Amino acid sequence: MGKLVIVGTIAFDAIETPFGKTDKILGGAATFIGLAASHFNVDIAAVSVVGGDFPKAYLDLLSNKNIDLTGVEIVKEGKTFFWSGRYHNDMNTRDTLVTELNTMGNFKPKVPKNYQNADVVMLGNLHPLVQSNVLDQMSETPKMVILDTMNFWMDSALNDLLQVIKRVDVIAINDEEARQLTGEYALVVAARKIHEMGPKYVVIKKGEHGALLFHDGHVFFAPALPLEEVFDPTGAGDTFAGGIAGYLAKTGDTSFDNMKNAIIYGSTLASFCVEKFGTERMVNLSNTEVFKRLMQFKQLTQFDIELT
């Protein structure tokens, strides 16, 4: 069984979309990544921190998905990371209303000893120095290190970010972030420049328009499945990354062809995430539902071209 280490936030979210709003609910990058990866029967450990206000029921929920929480620190006198946001009518843009770092402000990740030889490391969106710290703790070089980041770190910690980018195999960012990181508008050129920074694979997310995978001059495009309803995009990108990480940890195959499969699995899982608020859909998602939707992806993307 492959080993996967996930580093990121386990948090509270409060979300408002055109379809409704929530009070504080379970959220955080590590949560969404872990729930997605739990569909692949791999040995998963989450590394994060929460406060004494974090419900035991949420921790039990993650444990029941076979996510090892040994690396999740509980600061009893502290408060859990909290984010609140409001989505616009197009569901692609949002306003951050509140960000409270709380215990995450002093987060020092501790990778459990029995996971320091993990096959795959998924570095969720955190300060680049925290991400580097995790890699320093690994006793063996992972088969695959996947990095998520955002424009905030490009603005505030670019040098640190460039240092950690050198150490990863896959970077997953959206098109706006790829353009900011490279100063290039054309995504093909931007991907080539990011390759030169270190990663073998560059994944550029385009939201409802799918994702692009770049590797050594080759390009693969995975569409997003057209959905009748999108209730809440929160966590979709993390779910996508969790699908990739889980699939790679299960198969142990880091080839370009297998990365294509991983991208499709990630896209499939992300298509479920947006159907309910927060983690609700992912918590109750069955493997049968995932398989049926994979077949929909297959029908959507595979066909024979008749050359005339």
Side-chain angles (χ1 to χ4, degrees):
M1 184 184 294
K3 282 187 180 180
L4 168 63
V5 167
I6 299 165
V7 186
T9 53
I10 296 177
F12 292 127
D13 289 342
I15 303 156
E16 183 176 345
T17 80
F19 299 101
K21 61 189 300 185
T22 72
D23 294 321
K24 283 186 177 182
I25 58 174
L26 176 62
T31 302
F32 284 103
I33 294 166
L35 289 174
S38 69
H39 285 272
F40 297 95
N41 191 32
V42 293
D43 192 358
I44 305 169
V47 178
S48 190
V49 62
V50 296
D53 58 343
F54 197 74
K56 182 177 182 297
Y58 285 166
L59 294 172
D60 290 343
L61 184 156
L62 296 172
S63 292
N64 290 338
K65 295 291 184 180
N66 295 317
I67 300 171
D68 189 311
L69 302 181
T70 308
V72 177
E73 181 184 1
I74 301 174
V75 182
K76 291 186 178 180
E77 68 280 7
K79 288 187 174 183
T80 302
F81 180 94
F82 172 59
W83 176 84
S84 175
R86 179 191 298 123
Y87 286 88
H88 297 187
N89 287 336
D90 65 2
M91 299 292 275
N92 287 319
T93 54
R94 70 186 185 192
D95 299 319
T96 293
L97 305 178
V98 179
T99 301
E100 296 175 1
L101 292 177
N102 297 327
T103 52
M104 188 56 66
N106 297 309
F107 177 45
K108 293 180 174 57
K110 297 181 181 67
V111 180
K113 190 168 184 179
N114 56 324
Y115 285 93
Q116 291 176 3
N117 62 346
D119 304 283
V120 178
V121 176
M122 176 68 228
L123 299 173
N125 177 26
L126 293 169
H127 195 292
L129 290 178
V130 174
Q131 295 172 324
S132 290
N133 186 314
V134 171
L135 297 181
D136 291 342
Q137 294 179 48
M138 304 307 293
S139 60
E140 297 179 17
T141 302
K143 288 183 179 178
M144 191 69 88
V145 178
I146 307 168
L147 173 78
D148 186 16
T149 190
M150 65 183 299
N151 47 16
F152 177 80
W153 305 119
M154 297 174 198
D155 292 332
S156 63
L158 180 59
N159 288 336
D160 295 328
L161 178 59
L162 292 174
Q163 289 304 308
V164 75
I165 286 175
K166 289 179 182 179
R167 305 176 66 183
V168 308
D169 303 290
V170 184
I171 183 170
I173 54 178
N174 66 32
D175 46 1
E176 176 190 351
E177 292 157 351
R179 289 175 173 129
Q180 178 174 341
L181 183 60
T182 62
E184 297 288 348
Y185 183 81
L187 294 179
V188 173
V189 180
R192 185 165 62 243
K193 283 200 169 184
I194 296 171
H195 275 308
E196 293 168 358
M197 296 176 186
K200 291 186 292 187
Y201 295 103
V202 178
V203 179
I204 299 181
K205 300 173 287 185
K206 294 175 63 63
E208 64 178 326
H209 303 297
L212 290 157
L213 169 67
F214 297 88
H215 170 68
D216 195 24
H218 300 286
V219 185
F220 173 71
F221 173 69
L225 191 71
L227 300 171
E228 291 188 11
E229 293 180 315
V230 175
F231 275 87
D232 175 19
T234 309
D238 294 315
T239 301
F240 173 70
I244 294 172
Y247 184 82
L248 293 175
K250 179 179 181 178
T251 60
D253 181 352
T254 62
S255 68
F256 180 61
D257 282 342
N258 201 52
M259 277 293 296
K260 296 178 186 178
N261 290 325
I263 294 287
I264 293 296
Y265 268 91
S267 298
T268 300
L269 289 163
S271 75
F272 287 107
C273 178
V274 302
E275 292 182 339
K276 299 283 186 181
F277 277 105
T279 60
E280 182 181 351
R281 188 68 175 96
M282 299 306 297
V283 166
N284 299 306
L285 181 62
S286 71
N287 286 332
T288 301
E289 290 176 298
V290 175
F291 180 78
K292 285 177 65 177
R293 192 157 288 184
L294 277 169
M295 292 302 99
Q296 288 180 262
F297 258 100
K298 187 173 182 178
Q299 292 172 359
L300 179 71
T301 57
Q302 293 191 6
F303 60 96
D304 292 324
I305 300 176
E306 294 187 10
L307 301 176
T308 60

